[in-house]
Amino acid sequence: MAHSDNSEACARVAVDWGTSSFRLWTLSADGQVLARANGPYGMASLSKQDFAQVLEDQLNRLSVDRHVPVLICGMAGAAQGWCEAPYLQAPMALSQLGLGAVRVPDIERQVHILPGFMQTQPCNVMRGEETQILGLLSARPDFNGVVCLPGTHSKWVRLSEGQIAHFTTCMTGEIFSLLCHQSVLKHSTAGKGWDAAAFVEAILQMMSAPASLADSLFGLRAQMLLEDLPPATARARLSGMLIGIELAATQAYWQDCEVALIGEASLCRHYATALASQSVAVDLLDSEAMTLSGITSAFTQLRET
Amino acid sequence: MAHSDNSEACARVAVDWGTSSFRLWTLSADGQVLARANGPYGMASLSKQDFAQVLEDQLNRLSVDRHVPVLICGMAGAAQGWCEAPYLQAPMALSQLGLGAVRVPDIERQVHILPGFMQTQPCNVMRGEETQILGLLSARPDFNGVVCLPGTHSKWVRLSEGQIAHFTTCMTGEIFSLLCHQSVLKHSTAGKGWDAAAFVEAILQMMSAPASLADSLFGLRAQMLLEDLPPATARARLSGMLIGIELAATQAYWQDCEVALIGEASLCRHYATALASQSVAVDLLDSEAMTLSGITSAFTQLRET
């Protein structure tokens, strides 16, 4: 896309600051990405007093003027993060997201952190995903359906009239990683490759018999010992079992609904395949684009400070 | 129990050599335990050439004569262990267990390792549990029912006419440990204490809606953040969810059956409570006693060598 000379000046900075990662974009006045930065500066690796310096280093590296406003989404706003941005409570309209932003005190720059969402019946929380959903609504304000954000902690979010109406969380990615790397199954799932048929078969097994997860996992190890089960098959079957029981648990969300997937592209394709086995078509949306669109939209919602 | 002078001489040595632990007993001719040794010399921490020296050190420490026979059960007989004792294939009578023992070559002492059991439809394996089951059958040769051996990898084993007819494995203990110590739930489940009501409630939830495991786990974290859920409640509920989906998966084993539990006492009590919620009464059997009885019985089954 062609940039006018005007747009080359950095007008805003967007940051997605998660548990394990840090991503920053400098944006022109018309919303074009001028530069990117990222690194392993996640909340989990920082203490409270480190955040300001990490941000300052990145902004200096990109020569961002001191007057340029910065807006952050994600775990940096958690109680254990940089500066707590208290949760908004669902159901609530995403047009309120920027109004819940908290300005980081005691620093020269104008830095705001966006809040997450909470729900009490039953208890649930998110931080970061709400911003991507705002990005989706910026592009499609009439979207009344379900957003699935696959990942370490997959979110399923029902949107209604611009509100986050209800949501739930599945620890699918975290459990997959623990089982693949730290359990007895690590011997069976190492390496690369993917067995698409085994994945779908496992999805169907979990949809019809979710309890069988409990006594099917060890079978991957046994089948490797006794029948040389290929690691690509074991890994795809393990992923299919975990995504399958996630789909079984969240059926009330996706059944007869318009479903949008936001997340890492290859993982979203697995979720699309899994949902297709249940005759559910999905829209695949780019994760970075939704984050940027959400933060850009939230900038316009900030209170004057 | 009174020992005769005669029985004080060590006549046999029994060893349970697992993935993470080593337990050894010296036994008199009439089967009394004379001395015990144990330590962290599990298979996972040893290379093949270490096993002989570890055993020799322990036997020397207890002044066991070189002519005293030694019989080992457990993972020492795995392909990655000391000396492979190929699996017996279920269904097969446990009276065959000692016949499948392999004599460790190239050492002066007479050391045998007992085989495990395998099953091909569907694939499954065990090493160590079969010996405890032989111990149960030594005391109760007419037992026709189901044995559950809770642990890192819980086994459910159907016995029929002295045979291991069929079995399955649930990674319940390993998954509980990973979630408690290495997942985001570690913040919610730390500490001691137990909430018995929360445990049973989770069992009932999983029996009626096993798929809900997938989107209930993260709720423990959310409920701690939003409502200060006590760690004792979170830990008991997590345990109840995992044991609950295990029971849901293994219902065909325990329903309308005589169930014997062999394992660590406090864990067995949790399983007994869980099964009681389904109106299943159980026998609690002592794990060490079953191991010793099984190895003692297997000594009489060894081929002449």
Side-chain angles (χ1 to χ4, degrees):
Chain A
M1 197 175 290
H3 293 179
S4 70
D5 281 355
N6 249 1
S7 71
E8 297 296 336
C10 174
R12 291 189 294 271
V13 174
V15 181
D16 178 8
W17 207 328
T19 301
S20 58
S21 69
F22 170 95
R23 296 187 301 163
L24 179 150
W25 301 263
T26 58
L27 303 171
S28 66
D30 62 358
Q32 303 305 314
V33 173
L34 303 174
R36 290 174 166 77
N38 57 67
Y41 321 120
M43 179 197 74
S45 66
L46 301 178
S47 53
K48 248 183 218 311
Q49 60 271 27
D50 299 332
F51 286 85
Q53 193 60 54
V54 168
L55 179 64
E56 194 57 36
D57 288 349
Q58 298 297 320
L59 294 173
N60 283 338
R61 212 170 54 79
L62 297 171
S63 307
V64 176
D65 280 354
R66 299 207 157 267
H67 70 274
V68 174
V70 178
L71 186 52
I72 300 172
C73 72
M75 293 300 287
Q80 324 90 291
W82 184 6
C83 172
E84 185 171 8
Y87 295 110
L88 303 183
Q89 183 165 349
M92 182 175 289
L94 279 156
S95 57
Q96 306 295 304
L97 187 64
L99 293 175
V102 167
R103 179 158 181 184
V104 179
D106 305 328
I107 58 173
E108 190 183 342
R109 291 187 187 265
Q110 183 195 318
V111 177
H112 283 84
I113 304 184
L114 290 168
F117 265 70
M118 60 175 272
Q119 169 183 283
T120 58
Q121 296 292 333
C123 283
N124 223 310
V125 293
M126 69 169 80
R127 279 200 187 272
E129 295 88 352
E130 71 295 322
T131 305
Q132 297 184 307
I133 295 169
L134 175 59
L136 162 66
L137 286 177
S138 304
R140 297 173 58 183
D142 297 331
F143 183 89
N144 284 298
V146 165
V147 188
C148 170
L149 304 103
T152 303
H153 297 159
S154 298
K155 302 287 179 189
W156 289 82
V157 186
R158 182 175 301 288
L159 296 186
S160 171
E161 311 294 336
Q163 292 195 334
I164 288 185
H166 204 264
F167 65 101
T168 194
T169 307
C170 298
M171 293 172 54
T172 307
E174 181 165 17
I175 294 174
F176 180 75
S177 176
L178 286 171
L179 290 175
C180 266
H181 299 302
Q182 305 203 46
S183 84
V184 71
L185 300 184
K186 69 184 174 191
H187 308 294
S188 313
T189 57
K192 301 208 179 290
W194 188 255
D195 181 334
F199 176 77
V200 171
E201 190 180 20
I203 296 286
L204 299 178
Q205 178 192 338
M206 288 302 116
M207 285 302 298
S208 65
S212 71
L213 176 75
D215 79 331
S216 294
L217 292 172
F218 186 78
L220 300 175
R221 170 71 174 152
Q223 218 181 329
M224 195 207 73
L225 288 172
L226 302 181
E227 296 181 349
D228 281 326
L229 182 71
T233 300
R235 199 167 49 258
R237 196 180 292 163
L238 175 59
S239 173
M241 285 196 267
L242 295 176
I243 294 176
I245 197 169
E246 175 177 342
L247 290 197
T250 57
Q251 189 158 7
Y253 279 85
W254 50 259
Q255 190 125 61
D256 305 318
C257 254
E258 185 175 4
V259 175
L261 288 172
I262 304 176
E264 192 268 314
S266 66
L267 183 59
C268 282
R269 282 195 295 275
H270 292 323
Y271 275 72
T273 302
L275 285 160
S277 80
Q278 303 303 308
S279 307
V280 175
V282 301
D283 276 339
L284 291 169
L285 300 172
D286 182 69
S287 179
E288 178 176 303
M290 291 303 110
T291 300
L292 281 174
S293 166
I295 294 179
T296 299
S297 182
F299 260 115
T300 68
Q301 302 169 350
L302 293 180
R303 294 177 201 277
E304 296 297 319
T305 53
Chain B
M1 196 175 289
H3 293 180
S4 68
D5 282 357
N6 251 2
S7 71
E8 297 297 336
C10 174
R12 291 190 295 273
V13 173
V15 181
D16 178 8
W17 209 327
T19 301
S20 58
S21 69
F22 169 95
R23 296 187 301 162
L24 178 150
W25 301 264
T26 59
L27 303 170
S28 67
D30 61 359
Q32 303 304 314
V33 174
L34 302 175
R36 290 174 167 78
N38 58 67
Y41 322 119
M43 179 197 73
S45 65
L46 301 178
S47 52
K48 249 184 218 308
Q49 60 271 26
D50 298 333
F51 285 85
Q53 193 60 51
V54 167
L55 179 64
E56 194 58 35
D57 289 349
Q58 297 297 319
L59 294 173
N60 284 338
R61 213 170 53 79
L62 296 171
S63 307
V64 176
D65 280 354
R66 300 209 155 266
H67 70 273
V68 174
V70 178
L71 186 52
I72 300 171
C73 72
M75 292 300 288
Q80 323 90 294
W82 185 4
C83 172
E84 184 171 9
Y87 295 110
L88 303 183
Q89 184 165 351
M92 183 175 288
L94 280 155
S95 57
Q96 305 294 304
L97 186 64
L99 293 175
V102 166
R103 181 160 180 180
V104 179
D106 305 326
I107 59 172
E108 192 182 344
R109 291 186 187 265
Q110 183 196 316
V111 177
H112 283 82
I113 303 184
L114 289 168
F117 266 69
M118 61 175 272
Q119 170 183 281
T120 57
Q121 296 291 334
C123 282
N124 223 309
V125 293
M126 69 168 80
R127 280 200 187 271
E129 294 89 351
E130 71 297 321
T131 305
Q132 297 184 308
I133 295 168
L134 176 60
L136 162 66
L137 286 177
S138 304
R140 299 171 59 182
D142 298 332
F143 183 90
N144 284 297
V146 165
V147 188
C148 170
L149 304 104
T152 304
H153 297 159
S154 298
K155 301 288 179 187
W156 290 83
V157 186
R158 183 176 301 287
L159 296 184
S160 172
E161 310 294 334
Q163 291 194 335
I164 289 184
H166 204 264
F167 66 100
T168 194
T169 305
C170 298
M171 292 171 56
T172 308
E174 183 166 16
I175 293 173
F176 179 76
S177 177
L178 286 171
L179 290 175
C180 267
H181 300 302
Q182 304 203 49
S183 84
V184 71
L185 301 183
K186 69 184 174 191
H187 308 294
S188 312
T189 58
K192 300 207 179 291
W194 188 253
D195 181 335
F199 175 77
V200 171
E201 190 180 18
I203 296 285
L204 299 178
Q205 178 192 339
M206 288 302 117
M207 286 301 299
S208 65
S212 71
L213 176 74
D215 78 332
S216 295
L217 291 171
F218 187 78
L220 300 174
R221 170 70 174 153
Q223 218 180 330
M224 195 206 75
L225 287 172
L226 301 182
E227 297 181 347
D228 281 327
L229 181 72
T233 301
R235 198 165 51 256
R237 195 179 294 163
L238 174 60
S239 173
M241 285 196 266
L242 296 176
I243 293 176
I245 197 169
E246 174 177 342
L247 290 196
T250 57
Q251 189 158 6
Y253 278 86
W254 51 259
Q255 190 125 61
D256 305 319
C257 254
E258 186 175 4
V259 175
L261 287 172
I262 304 176
E264 194 268 315
S266 66
L267 182 59
C268 282
R269 282 195 296 275
H270 292 324
Y271 274 72
T273 301
L275 285 161
S277 79
Q278 305 301 309
S279 306
V280 175
V282 301
D283 276 340
L284 291 169
L285 300 172
D286 182 72
S287 179
E288 176 174 304
M290 292 303 109
T291 300
L292 281 174
S293 168
I295 294 179
T296 300
S297 183
F299 260 115
T300 68
Q301 301 170 350
L302 295 179
R303 294 177 201 277
E304 295 297 321
T305 52

